[in-house]
Amino acid sequence: MKLLKFYAEWCKPCITLSKMLEEFSSVPVENINVDTNQEFVNLYTIRNIPTLILIDDEGKELYKHTGLITLTELKSKIDAIKGD
């Protein structure tokens, strides 16, 4: 399981989310810049940023959130999906 973070360097909410996720250790985070990774943007139908997508080991989407989210809320969502 891993968390895909779709962002852009010019996006203020993305910068805020990136700083928050520096402390996050529930699952690995993969950063995907929407300006340089259009194939992933299309694959996951990203319309707004920041967007977080939790995927399983086969790449199946388990959870998707667009916009800012607290670390507590994100951890709670992931724990519920994991069954913790």
Side-chain angles (χ1 to χ4, degrees), residues 1-60:
M1 196 179 297
K2 70 179 167 181
L3 190 65
L4 305 178
K5 179 186 75 174
F6 291 86
Y7 77 100
E9 293 179 10
W10 47 264
C11 169
K12 298 291 186 198
C14 298
I15 293 167
T16 300
L17 184 62
S18 292
K19 288 179 183 175
M20 290 171 39
L21 286 175
E22 287 175 0
E23 310 168 13
F24 193 70
S25 61
S26 292
V27 294
V29 178
E30 183 176 331
N31 298 305
I32 302 172
N33 186 324
V34 297
D35 292 329
T36 58
N37 291 288
Q38 197 61 45
E39 66 277 5
F40 284 105
V41 170
N42 294 335
L43 178 66
Y44 289 100
T45 318
I46 303 303
R47 300 285 181 243
N48 295 298
I49 53 174
T51 294
L52 297 172
I53 300 177
L54 182 67
I55 60 171
D56 65 14
D57 294 336
E58 287 78 44
K60 179 184 172 196

Side-chain angles (χ1 to χ4, degrees), residues 69-77:
I69 187 171
T70 67
L71 289 182
T72 302
E73 185 180 357
L74 180 59
K75 186 173 182 339
S76 175
K77 295 284 186 185

